[in-house]
Structures are given as structure tokens and as C-alpha cells.
Amino acid sequence: MRFRPGQITNDPNVPKINPLFEFITLLIWLSLILAVIYYAAGVSVDYFAGLIPRELENKIGAHYKTAFKQSADSASAGELSALTHALAKTNGDSSAYNVILVDSPDINALAAPGNNIIVFSGLLKKVKSENELAFILSHELGHFHNRDHLKGLGRGLILLVLSSAVLGSDNPVSSAALNSVTGVEMKFSRDQERAADLFAVDLINSYYGHAAGAEEIIGSFKGIEKKPGIYYYFSTHPSPDERAGLIKAHIERKAYKTGAVKKLKKALRL
């Protein structure tokens, strides 16, 4: 009898599933798991951010006083601080805020832990009235009121830990998260930005007796942020058009008046 070997049809060493397909499946599942972890941890951070003692927040905030160098223009910084505290007191807030004026062409202001407000000098070159500047400062006070600065810090830490665990510490995602944690890029969600805008409208209305300045400064941002609409779909900030519409509707709903805006003080005209 002659032996004839048969064809092997079930080799245990040859995978039945395409390796590439298996890799993509595992990657999708890993991404979903990390997304769930990030979301759950983020919800926890949002809750516990309101429970962080002021003493601990001030210790965290001490870093920002050294990370951002105060401008040599002490008169401008002093006027910014005076306006900020006057606005805060109008809302019954007697907290001490540390306003840091930074020499930079950036047209921006940031709320950082420890009641630190960073204002870039490029912003003072853009605003045309005290009311517009008051709206921006009130917007940052709104972030403090809602504890957004701590929520953003906590989410940045979570993203840093997750990205470092999966991709290693030396990767673009970890670097971006670290920037967020250290205050170079303090961003908040679109819902938080909308809430801060409405807080600011209410505050300047209480301070001046009208809401002039809010729509004007947002209108100025339209000329600066010339970006396609799709950009804002992925951005943490609403588009200037959306912000302007929201502010206008809020003013009409609250029946706020419009009035004459105040000129900027000489020290604030850079």
C-alpha cells in the first residue's frame, strides 16, 4: 500500500483572522475603553473640582506666578487689577485676584488656578473701551465662579496619565496634555465658554447698568478669527458668530439696556 499525504486544512499555526483586521479591532476596542475611562474620570474631576480647598488651589497656583512674567508696565497691571476686583465685588466676590499682564502680541486672557488671571498685552491693543475690557475680565471671573480652571487642569492630568500609559511619556499627545497642565494652554469646553460669556454679560450689566461692550468685543473677534466653520466643530471655543448670537439673545431675553461705553484709562492704552 502506498502512503499519500493529505492536504492540511486546519493549521493551528496559521491564524484564521487577518492579522491587520485583528490589530484594527484591538485598536478600536482599546480606544473605546480609554474613551470611557477618560469620560468617567472627567465627570469625577468636574464634581470634585468644586470640593478642592482654596489653600490647595493657592499652592497649585503659585506655579503660575513664576511661569508668566509680569510686564514692567506696573501702571497698566494696577489698573487691570483694580477693574477686576471692582467687577468681582459687584458680584459679591471679595476674593483677591492676581492679575498678571504679560508682554505678548496674543489677543487673549486666561484663568489659572490660585485666582491668577493672565492678560496678554496684545488684548489691550485691541479693546476700544473699558466696557469691552470689563467683559473679558468678567468672562475669566465666570470661569473662576464655575471652577472651570480646576476642571480643565484635572482633565489635562487625566489625559497626560492615559497617553503616557499607552504611548509613553515622549509623544505628541502627552506633550499637549502637559502644556495644558502647566497653563500654557488653558482651554475649556464650549459649554463652559458659553456659560462664562453669559456670566460676563450679567456682571457688566450689574456693574455699568447696561450691557454695552459685550457684543462689540465679540464682533471685533470676528475679524481676528478668520477660520472655516468646520474648525469650530473640533474647537473648545464656540465660533465668534455663535457667541455673538448667544450674547445678543441673552441681552434681549433679560431686557438689558445699552448705554454709552467708557473710554479706556490712559494706563490701559498700549
Side-chain angles (χ1 to χ4, degrees), residues 142-161:
H143 283 310
F144 286 115
H145 178 78
N146 296 320
R147 309 290 274 173
D148 294 334
H149 57 303
L150 293 177
K151 294 173 184 176
L153 181 67
R155 286 177 177 268
L157 284 170
I158 293 169
L159 183 59
L160 176 61
V161 171

Side-chain angles (χ1 to χ4, degrees), residues 10-259:
N10 188 21
D11 189 346
N13 297 316
V14 178
K16 295 180 180 180
I17 303 175
N18 186 296
L20 179 59
F21 177 78
E22 188 174 17
F23 172 76
I24 294 174
T25 302
L26 289 173
L27 187 61
I28 292 173
W29 275 109
L30 179 61
S31 299
L32 288 174
I33 291 171
L34 290 177
V36 170
I37 293 173
Y38 178 74
Y39 176 79
V43 171
S44 299
V45 166
D46 289 351
Y47 173 75
F48 287 107
L51 305 179
I52 295 177
R54 289 288 182 181
E55 295 77 11
L56 177 58
E57 182 187 343
N58 290 336
K59 289 182 180 179
I60 298 173
H63 163 76
Y64 294 88
K65 294 181 181 179
T66 56
F68 293 92
K69 185 179 179 181
Q70 180 74 270
S71 169
D73 194 338
S74 58
S76 297
E79 290 293 347
L80 280 171
S81 181
L83 180 57
T84 299
H85 286 98
L87 289 165
K89 286 182 180 178
T90 300
N91 196 47
D93 182 2
S94 59
S95 303
Y97 290 94
N98 178 47
V99 182
I100 304 172
L101 177 61
V102 179
D103 288 323
S104 169
D106 290 346
I107 304 172
N108 201 6
L110 307 172
N115 282 7
N116 291 298
I117 297 179
I118 298 99
V119 178
F120 297 103
S121 59
L123 178 63
L124 295 183
K125 295 177 182 179
K126 184 64 181 177
V127 295
K128 299 176 181 177
S129 68
E130 181 186 288
N131 302 63
E132 292 182 4
L133 180 59
F135 174 83
I136 293 170
L137 293 173
S138 297
H139 178 98
E140 303 309 324
L141 290 173
H143 283 310
F144 286 115
H145 178 78
N146 296 320
R147 309 290 274 173
D148 294 334
H149 57 303
L150 293 177
K151 294 173 184 176
L153 181 67
R155 286 177 177 268
L157 284 170
I158 293 169
L159 183 59
L160 176 61
V161 171
L162 290 176
S163 63
S164 297
V166 177
L167 303 174
S169 58
D170 189 15
N171 70 82
V173 178
S174 295
S175 298
L178 183 59
N179 284 340
S180 176
V181 171
T182 55
V184 176
E185 189 180 4
M186 294 293 291
K187 291 185 176 180
F188 307 107
S189 75
R190 281 178 281 191
D191 286 342
Q192 290 169 339
E193 290 297 330
R194 294 184 189 102
D197 274 346
L198 299 188
F199 179 95
V201 173
D202 291 339
L203 184 51
I204 65 169
N205 181 75
S206 297
Y207 185 69
Y208 292 108
H210 57 79
E215 291 185 77
E216 289 80 355
I217 189 60
I218 297 300
S220 297
F221 287 156
K222 290 183 182 180
I224 301 171
E225 298 185 17
K226 296 180 179 179
K227 297 172 181 176
I230 190 67
Y231 167 84
Y232 295 101
Y233 184 80
F234 301 100
S235 174
T236 54
H237 284 57
S239 70
D241 285 332
E242 182 185 346
R243 295 178 69 183
L246 183 69
I247 289 170
K248 183 178 181 180
H250 187 71
I251 290 174
E252 293 175 352
R253 185 168 58 253
K254 292 275 190 173
Y256 288 155
K257 299 177 181 178
T258 57

